[in-house]
Amino acid sequence: LERTLSIIKPDAVEKNHAGAIIARLEAEGFTVKALKRVHLSRKEAEGFYEEHRGRGFFDELVAFMSRSPIIVMALEREDAVARYREVIGATDPAKAAEGTIRKLYGASVGENAAHGSDKTSTAAREISYFFAGYEVSPTASSAS
Ligand code: GTP
Ligand code: MG
């Protein structure tokens, strides 16, 4: 099984869509291995999106991600990274497929309801950015 880092972004938390999004992810076969609600500082948001520093939208992205609380989860499933990105849909909600989370809950390319890791190596870095080892259930255990 594989893991991915999921964030329910400020816009979706503000609109009380977190429960519906988590229910959808569970229905799609993802298991929640760790979960918390946090309000990022600007510095913490910058660190998380470090790869995008220098892009034109970076300041807007950091301001958005730190404006109110987010819900962060480590999710597990077969082929979790790719399957999760299918379920959330394209970055721009206007271009996302019908029924995807960004289509249902996103408003714009900036305020697009959800984040997902883009590859397995990124997922490991992103999960450890938010969770200490003891906060994430181990894999391959009947007590997981
Ligand atoms: P994440 O799952 O959030 O990483 O989205 P992504 O992998 O689909 O897109 P990418 O990593 O390229 O961009 C990260 C985030 O930056 C996106 O989710 C958007 O919220 C934001 N972003 C990307 N392009 C733009 C843009 O042109 N304008 C604005 N305002 N935000 C953008
Ligand atoms: Mg990305």
Side-chain angles (χ1 to χ4, degrees):
L1 294 177
E2 187 174 280
R3 290 184 182 188
T4 193
L5 190 277
S6 163
I7 299 178
I8 303 174
K9 293 185 177 183
D11 57 327
V13 176
E14 288 164 6
K15 294 175 194 156
N16 280 346
H17 289 146
I21 291 171
I22 295 168
R24 169 68 181 281
L25 291 167
E26 288 189 324
E28 297 281 354
F30 293 89
T31 302
V32 178
K33 305 299 285 191
L35 180 153
K36 62 182 157 191
R37 178 181 182 275
V38 291
H39 190 165
L40 296 179
S41 66
R42 285 192 66 103
K43 282 255 176 304
E44 288 161 347
E46 284 176 9
F48 180 73
Y49 277 119
E50 190 61 44
E51 61 178 300
H52 295 306
R53 190 183 290 279
R55 306 273 283 274
F57 58 83
F58 186 70
D59 285 352
E60 198 179 318
L61 174 62
V62 165
F64 167 61
M65 289 300 289
S66 59
R67 84 174 180 205
S68 65
I70 58 175
I71 289 171
V72 192
M73 294 176 281
L75 299 178
E76 189 171 85
R77 213 204 99 114
E78 192 186 333
D79 202 17
V81 169
R83 283 292 301 128
Y84 178 91
R85 288 180 73 88
E86 282 174 33
V87 174
I88 63 173
T91 308
D92 182 353
K95 295 174 187 153
E98 283 305 322
T100 59
I101 286 171
R102 283 168 165 167
K103 184 68 163 192
L104 289 168
Y105 303 113
S108 65
V109 68
E111 304 207 1
N112 60 1
H115 162 84
S117 308
D118 59 4
K119 41 185 190 292
T120 52
S121 55
T122 316
R125 180 243 174 204
E126 291 184 351
I127 290 169
S128 62
Y129 193 82
F130 285 105
F131 296 105
Y134 70 87
E135 294 180 293
V136 187
S137 307
T139 326
S141 159
S142 56
S144 66

PDB file of all heavy atoms in Angstrom, residues 110-143:
ATOM      1  N   GLY A 110      -6.772  29.312  -7.594  1.00  0.00           N
ATOM      2  CA  GLY A 110      -6.154  29.648  -6.312  1.00  0.00           C
ATOM      3  C   GLY A 110      -6.867  28.973  -5.151  1.00  0.00           C
ATOM      4  O   GLY A 110      -6.238  28.392  -4.269  1.00  0.00           O
ATOM      5  N   GLU A 111      -8.184  29.019  -5.165  1.00  0.00           N
ATOM      6  CA  GLU A 111      -8.980  28.452  -4.069  1.00  0.00           C
ATOM      7  C   GLU A 111      -9.617  27.168  -4.567  1.00  0.00           C
ATOM      8  O   GLU A 111     -10.766  27.158  -5.031  1.00  0.00           O
ATOM      9  CB  GLU A 111     -10.025  29.471  -3.594  1.00  0.00           C
ATOM     10  CG  GLU A 111      -9.353  30.782  -3.194  1.00  0.00           C
ATOM     11  CD  GLU A 111     -10.107  31.599  -2.159  1.00  0.00           C
ATOM     12  OE1 GLU A 111     -11.183  31.161  -1.692  1.00  0.00           O
ATOM     13  OE2 GLU A 111      -9.600  32.679  -1.818  1.00  0.00           O
ATOM     14  N   ASN A 112      -8.833  26.080  -4.508  1.00  0.00           N
ATOM     15  CA  ASN A 112      -9.261  24.845  -5.158  1.00  0.00           C
ATOM     16  C   ASN A 112      -9.491  23.671  -4.207  1.00  0.00           C
ATOM     17  O   ASN A 112      -9.394  22.510  -4.605  1.00  0.00           O
ATOM     18  CB  ASN A 112      -8.294  24.484  -6.297  1.00  0.00           C
ATOM     19  CG  ASN A 112      -6.868  24.273  -5.806  1.00  0.00           C
ATOM     20  OD1 ASN A 112      -6.601  24.371  -4.617  1.00  0.00           O
ATOM     21  ND2 ASN A 112      -5.977  23.966  -6.721  1.00  0.00           N
ATOM     22  N   ALA A 113      -9.781  23.982  -2.962  1.00  0.00           N
ATOM     23  CA  ALA A 113     -10.349  23.023  -1.994  1.00  0.00           C
ATOM     24  C   ALA A 113      -9.421  21.939  -1.451  1.00  0.00           C
ATOM     25  O   ALA A 113      -9.587  21.518  -0.300  1.00  0.00           O
ATOM     26  CB  ALA A 113     -11.632  22.377  -2.546  1.00  0.00           C
ATOM     27  N   ALA A 114      -8.495  21.452  -2.279  1.00  0.00           N
ATOM     28  CA  ALA A 114      -7.710  20.300  -1.820  1.00  0.00           C
ATOM     29  C   ALA A 114      -6.307  20.297  -2.396  1.00  0.00           C
ATOM     30  O   ALA A 114      -6.073  20.816  -3.489  1.00  0.00           O
ATOM     31  CB  ALA A 114      -8.415  19.003  -2.212  1.00  0.00           C
ATOM     32  N   HIS A 115      -5.401  19.707  -1.650  1.00  0.00           N
ATOM     33  CA  HIS A 115      -4.031  19.455  -2.115  1.00  0.00           C
ATOM     34  C   HIS A 115      -3.757  17.968  -2.061  1.00  0.00           C
ATOM     35  O   HIS A 115      -4.228  17.282  -1.163  1.00  0.00           O
ATOM     36  CB  HIS A 115      -3.006  20.154  -1.206  1.00  0.00           C
ATOM     37  CG  HIS A 115      -1.610  19.601  -1.363  1.00  0.00           C
ATOM     38  ND1 HIS A 115      -0.766  20.014  -2.354  1.00  0.00           N
ATOM     39  CD2 HIS A 115      -0.962  18.622  -0.688  1.00  0.00           C
ATOM     40  CE1 HIS A 115       0.367  19.317  -2.266  1.00  0.00           C
ATOM     41  NE2 HIS A 115       0.270  18.469  -1.264  1.00  0.00           N
ATOM     42  N   GLY A 116      -2.958  17.482  -2.987  1.00  0.00           N
ATOM     43  CA  GLY A 116      -2.449  16.114  -2.916  1.00  0.00           C
ATOM     44  C   GLY A 116      -1.014  16.044  -3.388  1.00  0.00           C
ATOM     45  O   GLY A 116      -0.614  16.783  -4.292  1.00  0.00           O
ATOM     46  N   SER A 117      -0.230  15.170  -2.781  1.00  0.00           N
ATOM     47  CA  SER A 117       1.166  14.989  -3.190  1.00  0.00           C
ATOM     48  C   SER A 117       1.222  14.617  -4.665  1.00  0.00           C
ATOM     49  O   SER A 117       0.333  13.933  -5.173  1.00  0.00           O
ATOM     50  CB  SER A 117       1.814  13.869  -2.380  1.00  0.00           C
ATOM     51  OG  SER A 117       1.628  14.075  -0.999  1.00  0.00           O
ATOM     52  N   ASP A 118       2.303  15.051  -5.354  1.00  0.00           N
ATOM     53  CA  ASP A 118       2.365  14.761  -6.790  1.00  0.00           C
ATOM     54  C   ASP A 118       3.183  13.515  -7.136  1.00  0.00           C
ATOM     55  O   ASP A 118       3.120  13.042  -8.266  1.00  0.00           O
ATOM     56  CB  ASP A 118       2.823  15.980  -7.584  1.00  0.00           C
ATOM     57  CG  ASP A 118       4.202  16.487  -7.175  1.00  0.00           C
ATOM     58  OD1 ASP A 118       4.854  15.842  -6.324  1.00  0.00           O
ATOM     59  OD2 ASP A 118       4.618  17.523  -7.711  1.00  0.00           O
ATOM     60  N   LYS A 119       3.972  12.978  -6.191  1.00  0.00           N
ATOM     61  CA  LYS A 119       4.613  11.679  -6.393  1.00  0.00           C
ATOM     62  C   LYS A 119       4.952  11.047  -5.047  1.00  0.00           C
ATOM     63  O   LYS A 119       4.853  11.722  -4.023  1.00  0.00           O
ATOM     64  CB  LYS A 119       5.842  11.772  -7.301  1.00  0.00           C
ATOM     65  CG  LYS A 119       6.755  12.962  -7.104  1.00  0.00           C
ATOM     66  CD  LYS A 119       7.834  12.936  -8.190  1.00  0.00           C
ATOM     67  CE  LYS A 119       8.938  13.936  -7.959  1.00  0.00           C
ATOM     68  NZ  LYS A 119       8.542  15.338  -8.080  1.00  0.00           N
ATOM     69  N   THR A 120       5.352   9.785  -5.044  1.00  0.00           N
ATOM     70  CA  THR A 120       5.539   9.090  -3.759  1.00  0.00           C
ATOM     71  C   THR A 120       6.681   9.698  -2.938  1.00  0.00           C
ATOM     72  O   THR A 120       6.565   9.788  -1.714  1.00  0.00           O
ATOM     73  CB  THR A 120       5.780   7.584  -3.950  1.00  0.00           C
ATOM     74  OG1 THR A 120       6.840   7.411  -4.887  1.00  0.00           O
ATOM     75  CG2 THR A 120       4.545   6.891  -4.472  1.00  0.00           C
ATOM     76  N   SER A 121       7.745  10.162  -3.613  1.00  0.00           N
ATOM     77  CA  SER A 121       8.850  10.773  -2.859  1.00  0.00           C
ATOM     78  C   SER A 121       8.386  12.078  -2.212  1.00  0.00           C
ATOM     79  O   SER A 121       8.754  12.391  -1.074  1.00  0.00           O
ATOM     80  CB  SER A 121      10.055  11.000  -3.764  1.00  0.00           C
ATOM     81  OG  SER A 121       9.688  11.768  -4.889  1.00  0.00           O
ATOM     82  N   THR A 122       7.576  12.844  -2.924  1.00  0.00           N
ATOM     83  CA  THR A 122       7.005  14.074  -2.368  1.00  0.00           C
ATOM     84  C   THR A 122       6.092  13.742  -1.183  1.00  0.00           C
ATOM     85  O   THR A 122       6.073  14.451  -0.178  1.00  0.00           O
ATOM     86  CB  THR A 122       6.166  14.811  -3.441  1.00  0.00           C
ATOM     87  OG1 THR A 122       6.876  14.804  -4.673  1.00  0.00           O
ATOM     88  CG2 THR A 122       5.866  16.232  -3.031  1.00  0.00           C
ATOM     89  N   ALA A 123       5.324  12.678  -1.319  1.00  0.00           N
ATOM     90  CA  ALA A 123       4.390  12.291  -0.251  1.00  0.00           C
ATOM     91  C   ALA A 123       5.134  12.027   1.050  1.00  0.00           C
ATOM     92  O   ALA A 123       4.706  12.489   2.115  1.00  0.00           O
ATOM     93  CB  ALA A 123       3.586  11.057  -0.667  1.00  0.00           C
ATOM     94  N   ALA A 124       6.251  11.344   0.992  1.00  0.00           N
ATOM     95  CA  ALA A 124       7.015  11.045   2.210  1.00  0.00           C
ATOM     96  C   ALA A 124       7.490  12.348   2.864  1.00  0.00           C
ATOM     97  O   ALA A 124       7.365  12.533   4.082  1.00  0.00           O
ATOM     98  CB  ALA A 124       8.206  10.153   1.875  1.00  0.00           C
ATOM     99  N   ARG A 125       7.995  13.270   2.069  1.00  0.00           N
ATOM    100  CA  ARG A 125       8.450  14.561   2.595  1.00  0.00           C
ATOM    101  C   ARG A 125       7.267  15.346   3.176  1.00  0.00           C
ATOM    102  O   ARG A 125       7.365  15.916   4.264  1.00  0.00           O
ATOM    103  CB  ARG A 125       9.129  15.361   1.469  1.00  0.00           C
ATOM    104  CG  ARG A 125       9.654  16.744   1.879  1.00  0.00           C
ATOM    105  CD  ARG A 125       8.955  17.872   1.126  1.00  0.00           C
ATOM    106  NE  ARG A 125       9.362  19.184   1.641  1.00  0.00           N
ATOM    107  CZ  ARG A 125       8.614  20.281   1.523  1.00  0.00           C
ATOM    108  NH1 ARG A 125       7.435  20.216   0.905  1.00  0.00           N
ATOM    109  NH2 ARG A 125       9.005  21.412   2.016  1.00  0.00           N
ATOM    110  N   GLU A 126       6.149  15.335   2.483  1.00  0.00           N
ATOM    111  CA  GLU A 126       4.997  16.118   2.938  1.00  0.00           C
ATOM    112  C   GLU A 126       4.364  15.531   4.199  1.00  0.00           C
ATOM    113  O   GLU A 126       3.919  16.273   5.078  1.00  0.00           O
ATOM    114  CB  GLU A 126       3.963  16.210   1.813  1.00  0.00           C
ATOM    115  CG  GLU A 126       4.464  17.081   0.656  1.00  0.00           C
ATOM    116  CD  GLU A 126       3.433  17.280  -0.440  1.00  0.00           C
ATOM    117  OE1 GLU A 126       2.371  16.608  -0.411  1.00  0.00           O
ATOM    118  OE2 GLU A 126       3.688  18.106  -1.334  1.00  0.00           O
ATOM    119  N   ILE A 127       4.309  14.207   4.297  1.00  0.00           N
ATOM    120  CA  ILE A 127       3.749  13.589   5.506  1.00  0.00           C
ATOM    121  C   ILE A 127       4.635  13.930   6.697  1.00  0.00           C
ATOM    122  O   ILE A 127       4.141  14.314   7.764  1.00  0.00           O
ATOM    123  CB  ILE A 127       3.569  12.066   5.322  1.00  0.00           C
ATOM    124  CG1 ILE A 127       2.422  11.798   4.326  1.00  0.00           C
ATOM    125  CG2 ILE A 127       3.270  11.382   6.672  1.00  0.00           C
ATOM    126  CD1 ILE A 127       2.304  10.357   3.851  1.00  0.00           C
ATOM    127  N   SER A 128       5.947  13.866   6.511  1.00  0.00           N
ATOM    128  CA  SER A 128       6.836  14.170   7.645  1.00  0.00           C
ATOM    129  C   SER A 128       6.887  15.668   7.947  1.00  0.00           C
ATOM    130  O   SER A 128       7.278  16.067   9.039  1.00  0.00           O
ATOM    131  CB  SER A 128       8.233  13.595   7.429  1.00  0.00           C
ATOM    132  OG  SER A 128       8.822  14.162   6.292  1.00  0.00           O
ATOM    133  N   TYR A 129       6.450  16.512   6.994  1.00  0.00           N
ATOM    134  CA  TYR A 129       6.362  17.959   7.266  1.00  0.00           C
ATOM    135  C   TYR A 129       5.298  18.231   8.332  1.00  0.00           C
ATOM    136  O   TYR A 129       5.440  19.132   9.145  1.00  0.00           O
ATOM    137  CB  TYR A 129       6.015  18.721   5.982  1.00  0.00           C
ATOM    138  CG  TYR A 129       6.200  20.226   6.086  1.00  0.00           C
ATOM    139  CD1 TYR A 129       7.457  20.800   5.930  1.00  0.00           C
ATOM    140  CD2 TYR A 129       5.124  21.062   6.352  1.00  0.00           C
ATOM    141  CE1 TYR A 129       7.640  22.168   6.031  1.00  0.00           C
ATOM    142  CE2 TYR A 129       5.297  22.444   6.456  1.00  0.00           C
ATOM    143  CZ  TYR A 129       6.553  22.987   6.294  1.00  0.00           C
ATOM    144  OH  TYR A 129       6.728  24.351   6.404  1.00  0.00           O
ATOM    145  N   PHE A 130       4.243  17.437   8.321  1.00  0.00           N
ATOM    146  CA  PHE A 130       3.128  17.663   9.243  1.00  0.00           C
ATOM    147  C   PHE A 130       3.044  16.698  10.419  1.00  0.00           C
ATOM    148  O   PHE A 130       2.470  17.040  11.443  1.00  0.00           O
ATOM    149  CB  PHE A 130       1.799  17.605   8.485  1.00  0.00           C
ATOM    150  CG  PHE A 130       1.545  18.829   7.662  1.00  0.00           C
ATOM    151  CD1 PHE A 130       1.687  18.795   6.284  1.00  0.00           C
ATOM    152  CD2 PHE A 130       1.175  20.020   8.260  1.00  0.00           C
ATOM    153  CE1 PHE A 130       1.451  19.933   5.513  1.00  0.00           C
ATOM    154  CE2 PHE A 130       0.944  21.158   7.508  1.00  0.00           C
ATOM    155  CZ  PHE A 130       1.086  21.125   6.130  1.00  0.00           C
ATOM    156  N   PHE A 131       3.551  15.469  10.248  1.00  0.00           N
ATOM    157  CA  PHE A 131       3.339  14.458  11.281  1.00  0.00           C
ATOM    158  C   PHE A 131       4.648  13.865  11.781  1.00  0.00           C
ATOM    159  O   PHE A 131       5.518  13.495  10.989  1.00  0.00           O
ATOM    160  CB  PHE A 131       2.464  13.330  10.736  1.00  0.00           C
ATOM    161  CG  PHE A 131       1.072  13.769  10.359  1.00  0.00           C
ATOM    162  CD1 PHE A 131       0.718  13.918   9.021  1.00  0.00           C
ATOM    163  CD2 PHE A 131       0.115  14.044  11.335  1.00  0.00           C
ATOM    164  CE1 PHE A 131      -0.566  14.328   8.661  1.00  0.00           C
ATOM    165  CE2 PHE A 131      -1.176  14.456  10.985  1.00  0.00           C
ATOM    166  CZ  PHE A 131      -1.520  14.592   9.651  1.00  0.00           C
ATOM    167  N   ALA A 132       4.747  13.760  13.113  1.00  0.00           N
ATOM    168  CA  ALA A 132       5.853  13.014  13.712  1.00  0.00           C
ATOM    169  C   ALA A 132       5.583  11.525  13.496  1.00  0.00           C
ATOM    170  O   ALA A 132       4.431  11.115  13.305  1.00  0.00           O
ATOM    171  CB  ALA A 132       5.924  13.318  15.197  1.00  0.00           C
ATOM    172  N   GLY A 133       6.623  10.739  13.531  1.00  0.00           N
ATOM    173  CA  GLY A 133       6.489   9.295  13.284  1.00  0.00           C
ATOM    174  C   GLY A 133       5.408   8.652  14.141  1.00  0.00           C
ATOM    175  O   GLY A 133       4.609   7.852  13.649  1.00  0.00           O
ATOM    176  N   TYR A 134       5.340   9.026  15.420  1.00  0.00           N
ATOM    177  CA  TYR A 134       4.378   8.380  16.329  1.00  0.00           C
ATOM    178  C   TYR A 134       2.925   8.759  16.018  1.00  0.00           C
ATOM    179  O   TYR A 134       2.001   8.118  16.501  1.00  0.00           O
ATOM    180  CB  TYR A 134       4.708   8.714  17.796  1.00  0.00           C
ATOM    181  CG  TYR A 134       4.431  10.150  18.175  1.00  0.00           C
ATOM    182  CD1 TYR A 134       3.157  10.535  18.612  1.00  0.00           C
ATOM    183  CD2 TYR A 134       5.425  11.122  18.104  1.00  0.00           C
ATOM    184  CE1 TYR A 134       2.889  11.852  18.948  1.00  0.00           C
ATOM    185  CE2 TYR A 134       5.164  12.439  18.436  1.00  0.00           C
ATOM    186  CZ  TYR A 134       3.902  12.793  18.853  1.00  0.00           C
ATOM    187  OH  TYR A 134       3.647  14.097  19.171  1.00  0.00           O
ATOM    188  N   GLU A 135       2.729   9.797  15.208  1.00  0.00           N
ATOM    189  CA  GLU A 135       1.352  10.217  14.882  1.00  0.00           C
ATOM    190  C   GLU A 135       0.769   9.455  13.700  1.00  0.00           C
ATOM    191  O   GLU A 135      -0.422   9.571  13.415  1.00  0.00           O
ATOM    192  CB  GLU A 135       1.324  11.722  14.555  1.00  0.00           C
ATOM    193  CG  GLU A 135       1.658  12.588  15.748  1.00  0.00           C
ATOM    194  CD  GLU A 135       1.626  14.072  15.389  1.00  0.00           C
ATOM    195  OE1 GLU A 135       2.490  14.510  14.604  1.00  0.00           O
ATOM    196  OE2 GLU A 135       0.736  14.765  15.901  1.00  0.00           O
ATOM    197  N   VAL A 136       1.597   8.727  12.976  1.00  0.00           N
ATOM    198  CA  VAL A 136       1.152   8.002  11.780  1.00  0.00           C
ATOM    199  C   VAL A 136       1.186   6.513  12.069  1.00  0.00           C
ATOM    200  O   VAL A 136       2.218   5.982  12.486  1.00  0.00           O
ATOM    201  CB  VAL A 136       2.065   8.333  10.576  1.00  0.00           C
ATOM    202  CG1 VAL A 136       1.503   7.717   9.303  1.00  0.00           C
ATOM    203  CG2 VAL A 136       2.209   9.835  10.410  1.00  0.00           C
ATOM    204  N   SER A 137       0.056   5.840  11.833  1.00  0.00           N
ATOM    205  CA  SER A 137       0.011   4.401  12.096  1.00  0.00           C
ATOM    206  C   SER A 137       0.981   3.664  11.191  1.00  0.00           C
ATOM    207  O   SER A 137       1.112   3.999  10.016  1.00  0.00           O
ATOM    208  CB  SER A 137      -1.385   3.856  11.822  1.00  0.00           C
ATOM    209  OG  SER A 137      -2.337   4.601  12.526  1.00  0.00           O
ATOM    210  N   PRO A 138       1.640   2.657  11.703  1.00  0.00           N
ATOM    211  CA  PRO A 138       2.540   1.875  10.849  1.00  0.00           C
ATOM    212  C   PRO A 138       1.770   1.061   9.811  1.00  0.00           C
ATOM    213  O   PRO A 138       0.596   0.766   9.998  1.00  0.00           O
ATOM    214  CB  PRO A 138       3.260   0.946  11.829  1.00  0.00           C
ATOM    215  CG  PRO A 138       2.401   0.894  13.045  1.00  0.00           C
ATOM    216  CD  PRO A 138       1.618   2.167  13.092  1.00  0.00           C
ATOM    217  N   THR A 139       2.423   0.741   8.708  1.00  0.00           N
ATOM    218  CA  THR A 139       1.811  -0.112   7.674  1.00  0.00           C
ATOM    219  C   THR A 139       1.965  -1.574   8.067  1.00  0.00           C
ATOM    220  O   THR A 139       2.697  -1.890   8.999  1.00  0.00           O
ATOM    221  CB  THR A 139       2.533   0.056   6.313  1.00  0.00           C
ATOM    222  OG1 THR A 139       2.958   1.395   6.197  1.00  0.00           O
ATOM    223  CG2 THR A 139       1.616  -0.287   5.151  1.00  0.00           C
ATOM    224  N   ALA A 140       1.301  -2.456   7.340  1.00  0.00           N
ATOM    225  CA  ALA A 140       1.479  -3.898   7.481  1.00  0.00           C
ATOM    226  C   ALA A 140       1.298  -4.378   8.905  1.00  0.00           C
ATOM    227  O   ALA A 140       2.055  -5.184   9.418  1.00  0.00           O
ATOM    228  CB  ALA A 140       2.865  -4.300   6.971  1.00  0.00           C
ATOM    229  N   SER A 141       0.291  -3.838   9.570  1.00  0.00           N
ATOM    230  CA  SER A 141      -0.012  -4.296  10.922  1.00  0.00           C
ATOM    231  C   SER A 141      -1.507  -4.519  11.028  1.00  0.00           C
ATOM    232  O   SER A 141      -2.302  -3.728  10.536  1.00  0.00           O
ATOM    233  CB  SER A 141       0.429  -3.241  11.933  1.00  0.00           C
ATOM    234  OG  SER A 141      -0.263  -3.417  13.148  1.00  0.00           O
ATOM    235  N   SER A 142      -1.911  -5.566  11.687  1.00  0.00           N
ATOM    236  CA  SER A 142      -3.347  -5.820  11.857  1.00  0.00           C
ATOM    237  C   SER A 142      -3.960  -4.776  12.776  1.00  0.00           C
ATOM    238  O   SER A 142      -5.160  -4.562  12.776  1.00  0.00           O
ATOM    239  CB  SER A 142      -3.568  -7.210  12.428  1.00  0.00           C
ATOM    240  OG  SER A 142      -2.857  -7.334  13.635  1.00  0.00           O
ATOM    241  N   ALA A 143      -3.135  -4.085  13.546  1.00  0.00           N
ATOM    242  CA  ALA A 143      -3.627  -3.052  14.460  1.00  0.00           C
ATOM    243  C   ALA A 143      -3.554  -1.657  13.832  1.00  0.00           C
ATOM    244  O   ALA A 143      -3.622  -0.663  14.520  1.00  0.00           O
ATOM    245  CB  ALA A 143      -2.827  -3.080  15.748  1.00  0.00           C
TER     246      ALA A 143
END
